[in-house]
């Protein structure tokens, strides 16, 4: 008798997705179809509880008081930093700076890196699918410093033209700042490959992970990026909080972006000296409550498992994509890159996205319409904008079916 | 008080009141939008674009015999419908009447959700532009 064959694939773990949906008070048991997660995601009860707990028992300013309550708050705030560091596998929690959001994080690096390293004629490389938040800060810096902005072109299917990389990278290229997952198209860019390529030219890389962090496991050491930014509110955390990760070697020598309390070592009117990482980049009282609530959310997400979240969101968005493709000849998908997650962007041929959005809204479907803060990308496709459905792990296949029905009715009303 | 403006507004209200469902209301609104035509031969320039709308909205006017006639266009059908509704009431009126008129009928029709200044359909911005145009001709 032969030995039983080992199964080639382990069966998927049983995750109680219905129970997880029930953790989100705003959508649990509601008939609202919330497909606007790329704009901001809904919040789990654990976040509310963490906020209430903190405000009820351990709230005070951090890094300042000798009194016990301030110490308690400081311990929790610094523990939150450790949680973030663990979540992204940073080598050292001092490499994690809390900001007000991904936009603020990019502005910080654009300013500080620009001050330290950019000379007239130097180049910053971006891509044609960047959010305005990863374009405008660099333009502001480039205007100040006389630098030049270049962009990796986007192919017709919404992926990057990787063949152009060698031509775009050279001795003048001082930094590459690139989106991991496109907020408008859902395209997942091959970040590890691109980072490796840039490093071969000696170019440091900032990864805009605002739309990646909610959907997949992050490992800054494995990716080997020099900076990574993301926002808490897009991954079930609070608004007004973001993360700026920087590899120590490069990060700790950058000058501060904003001055204020907590970021100084010693101040006199003649000369001020600054703290090291991470405090140098956290001027003023930070979003203490937000950081602590975010840590609770990250524990919650880690408990589900980012790998499981990614798998489910890929399944859901693939299901939506393939049904739109198969059953809706009037729909044109914008962005059909082989690798994508969460976001499904489309146009109803002959109709403005706004009309589609308003008629869906009347059927309790929340989607985003417009240019998604990516006007250069919309120009690239020659369109005013798209209708964007963006899914999260707490969405369901049943919602996708109801969404498709609402879309049918929308098409009927617009005929 | 200008009775023409009030009468037109009442007629629009009565038309919309014929429909019970939101679907029919929007179908009627979009029909109004389909009927909104930019005058043939009239230049449609970027300088006529109204800010604050996701779809592009052009608004132009002509002043004749003390009345302001408005012309508008948009890329989005629902926005065109909202504009068409406004122009039915506001176009061809005097500056003083335009400034005195309160557009309460939009709320009574059940479309007031489109009037919020933070909605990205431009209706709020459109109303403001109608009024600021009227202000420019107030003493004309």
């Amino acid at each position: 008798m032969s030995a039983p064959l080992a199964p080639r694939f382990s069966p998927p773990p049983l995750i109680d997705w219905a129970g997880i949906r029930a953790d989100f008070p705003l959508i649990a048991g509601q008939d609202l179809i919330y497909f606007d997660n790329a704009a901001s995601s809904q919040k789990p009860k654990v976040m509310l509880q963490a906020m209430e707990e903190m405000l009820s028992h351990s709230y005070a300013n951090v890094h300042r008081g000798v009194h016990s309550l301030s110490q308690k708050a400081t311990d929790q705030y610094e523990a939150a930093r450790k949680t973030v560091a663990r979540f992204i596998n940073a080598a050292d929690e001092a490499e994690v700076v809390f900001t007000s959001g991904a936009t603020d994080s990019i502005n910080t690096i654009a300013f500080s890196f620009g001050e330290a390293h950019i000379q007239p004629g130097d180049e910053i490389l971006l891509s044609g699918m960047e959010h305005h938040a990863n374009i405008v800060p660099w333009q502001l810096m480039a205007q100040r410093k006389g630098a030049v902005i270049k962009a990796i072109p986007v192919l017709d299917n919404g992926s990057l033209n990787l063949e152009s990389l060698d031509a775009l990278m050279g001795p003048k290229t001082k930094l590459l700042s690139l989106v991991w997952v496109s907020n408008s198209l859902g395209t997942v860019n091959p970040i590890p490959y691109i980072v490796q390529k840039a490093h071969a030219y000696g170019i440091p890389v900032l990864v805009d992970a605002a739309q990646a962090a909610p959907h997949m496991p992050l490992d800054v050491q494995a990716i080997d990026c020099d900076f990574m930014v993301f926002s808490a509110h897009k991954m079930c955390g609070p608004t007004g909080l973001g993360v700026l990760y920087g590899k120590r070697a490069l990060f700790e020598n950058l000058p501060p972006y904003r001055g204020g309390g907590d970021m100084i070592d010693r101040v006199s009117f003649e000369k001020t000296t600054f703290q090291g990482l991470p405090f140098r980049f956290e001027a003023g009282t930070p979003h203490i409550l937000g950081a602590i609530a975010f840590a609770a959310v990250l524990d919650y997400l880690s408990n589900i498992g980012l790998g499981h979240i990614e798998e489910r969101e890929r399944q859901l968005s693939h299901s939506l994509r393939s049904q739109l493709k198969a059953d809706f000849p009037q729909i044109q998908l914008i962005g059909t890159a082989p690798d994508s997650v969460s976001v499904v962007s489309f146009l109803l041929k002959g109709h403005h996205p706004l009309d589609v959005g308003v008629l869906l809204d009347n059927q309790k479907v929340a989607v985003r319409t417009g240019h998604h803060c990516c006007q250069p990308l919309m120009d690239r496709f020659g369109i005013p904008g798209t209708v964007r459905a963006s899914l999260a792990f707490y969405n369901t296949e049943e919602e996708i079916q109801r969404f498709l029905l609402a879309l049918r009715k929308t098409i009927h009303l617009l005929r | 008080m200008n009775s023409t403006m009030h009468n037109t507004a009442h007629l629009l209200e009565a038309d919309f009141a014929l429909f019970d469902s939101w679907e029919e209301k929007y179908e009627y609104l979009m029909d109004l939008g389909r009927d909104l035509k930019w005058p043939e031969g009239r230049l449609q320039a970027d300088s006529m674009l109204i800010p604050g709308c996701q779809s592009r909205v052009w608004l132009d006017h002509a002043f004749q015999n003390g009345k302001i006639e408005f012309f508008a266009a948009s890329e989005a059908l629902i926005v065109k419908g909202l504009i068409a509704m406004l122009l039915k009431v506001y176009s061809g009126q005097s500056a003083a009447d335009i400034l005195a008129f309160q557009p309460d009928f939009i709320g009574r029709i059940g479309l007031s959700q489109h009037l919020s200044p933070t909605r990205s359909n431009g209706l709020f911005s459109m109303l403001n532009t109608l009024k600021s145009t009227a202000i420019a001709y107030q003493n004309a």
Side-chain angles (χ1 to χ4, degrees), chain A residues 354-355 363 369 409 415, chain B residues 22-23 27 54 77-79:
Chain A
L354 183 64
D355 289 327
Q363 300 171 78
T369 63
K409 188 169 189 170
R415 83 206 172 279
Chain B
W22 71 268
E23 289 94 332
E27 282 185 311
Q54 261 187 27
L77 197 49
I78 290 172
V79 176

Side-chain angles (χ1 to χ4, degrees), chain A residues 20-251:
Chain A
I20 286 168
R21 186 179 171 87
D23 292 336
F24 291 80
L26 193 138
I27 52 166
Q30 301 295 317
D31 54 1
L32 167 74
I33 299 176
Y34 189 76
F35 281 1
D36 194 19
N37 294 287
S40 199
S41 57
Q42 296 301 333
K43 315 304 172 199
K45 274 181 288 193
V46 290
M47 179 180 129
L48 280 64
Q49 287 158 357
M51 286 186 155
E52 190 179 359
E53 171 73 21
M54 208 267 159
L55 292 175
S56 308
H57 302 291
S58 46
Y59 181 76
N61 209 333
V62 295
H63 305 136
R64 287 182 174 69
V66 291
H67 61 84
S68 317
L69 194 58
S70 172
Q71 194 50 51
K72 202 167 165 184
T74 304
D75 289 347
Q76 285 190 18
Y77 180 71
E78 289 307 316
R81 193 190 307 279
K82 277 201 181 92
T83 303
V84 174
R86 219 171 28 241
F87 189 81
I88 63 173
N89 194 32
D92 173 355
E93 72 244 27
E95 296 175 322
V96 172
V97 165
F98 285 119
T99 64
S100 74
T103 297
D104 188 32
S105 300
I106 295 174
N107 274 281
T108 302
I109 294 304
F111 179 87
S112 298
F113 188 88
E115 287 303 301
H117 298 293
I118 301 298
Q119 302 299 324
D122 282 350
E123 294 173 6
I124 300 293
L125 185 56
L126 309 174
S127 89
M129 63 171 78
E130 298 309 316
H131 189 283
H132 296 161
N134 197 24
I135 300 174
V136 184
W138 302 109
Q139 284 175 331
L140 292 173
M141 182 273 276
Q143 279 166 16
R144 220 170 47 239
K145 292 284 171 182
V148 179
I149 306 285
K150 295 209 162 177
I152 305 166
V154 177
L155 299 171
D156 287 343
N157 71 353
S159 56
L160 289 178
N161 181 354
L162 298 175
E163 283 168 18
S164 70
L165 287 179
D166 283 306
L168 286 165
M169 293 178 180
K172 284 190 161 181
T173 317
K174 289 297 181 289
L175 190 106
L176 166 63
S177 188
L178 186 63
V179 69
W180 194 346
V181 175
S182 158
N183 72 310
S184 314
L185 309 173
T187 306
V188 181
N189 290 319
I191 286 295
Y193 166 79
I194 296 171
V195 171
Q196 204 182 18
K197 185 113 192 155
H199 282 177
Y201 284 91
I203 303 166
V205 182
L206 183 152
V207 176
D208 171 3
Q211 299 291 346
H215 308 302
M216 53 181 79
L218 299 183
D219 185 333
V220 289
Q221 294 188 76
I223 297 158
D224 199 29
C225 59
D226 301 274
F227 301 103
M228 182 181 280
V229 307
F230 51 95
S231 292
H233 76 94
K234 290 189 195 292
M235 46 194 306
C236 307
T239 54
L241 185 81
V243 169
L244 167 55
Y245 159 82
K247 218 187 259 177
R248 182 182 273 280
L250 193 55
F251 203 10

